Amino acid sequence: MWIGFYNYSVILTYLGLISSVIGMTQALEGKFKIAISCLVISGICDMLDGKVARTMERTDDEKHFGIQIDSLCDLFCFGAFPAFLGYGLGLRGIWGTAAMCMYVLAAVIRLGYFNVMEEKRQKETSEVRKYYQGLPVTSIAIIFPLVYLMRPYFGNVIYLRVLIGVMMVVAVLFVSNIKVYKPGNKMMAVFIALGVGILAKLLHFF
């Protein structure tokens, strides 16, 4: 009746996308703490969907669909959404616009390259990936909120310069040919705990 696939893994991916859409609406209303919380939630969903996928038996079509849909949603959640947040927070002018464009372009290039290489790798081996080439785009779900939490300690002008610098550096790391080791279960738990801690801070749970 419906096209597409709807197993537990891609449903987590869809939930991450929905969280980012909600976050964009909150950013439009100037509710940046809620918006950035949505970015963190999207990041947690993205970290978990791969783990869930590896516990399931999937057809080749489901595997290929998973690769495509994951990158499409990542482009929105961790490419466009952070640039949207940056603009909402005040990135303007030549440098602000350059940082946002550079960031999104690097995210597109990285995700497109990952799709090509991941499909090739899966044809050659069934081994679990041990490292990434370049910084994963999902990392912005931790980096951006941490930078945002620094906002009260800087004046607005200095903070925007810091944000521009961070986005440019992250963009370069996205497309750099460096090995970033894929976190194991323990490190993944640490990242999720960090994400939950950031959520608690942003939403004033403590």
Side-chain angles (χ1 to χ4, degrees), residues 40-79:
V40 175
I41 292 170
S42 295
I44 291 173
C45 288
D46 188 78
M47 282 190 283
L48 292 175
D49 63 10
K51 292 290 184 184
V52 172
R54 284 189 288 275
T55 66
M56 301 167 54
E57 290 187 10
R58 297 180 295 162
T59 65
D60 287 342
D61 286 342
E62 286 177 318
K63 290 178 181 179
H64 292 310
F65 182 83
I67 292 171
Q68 297 299 326
I69 206 68
D70 188 64
S71 287
L72 286 169
C73 290
D74 282 356
L75 177 57
F76 187 94
C77 298
F78 312 118

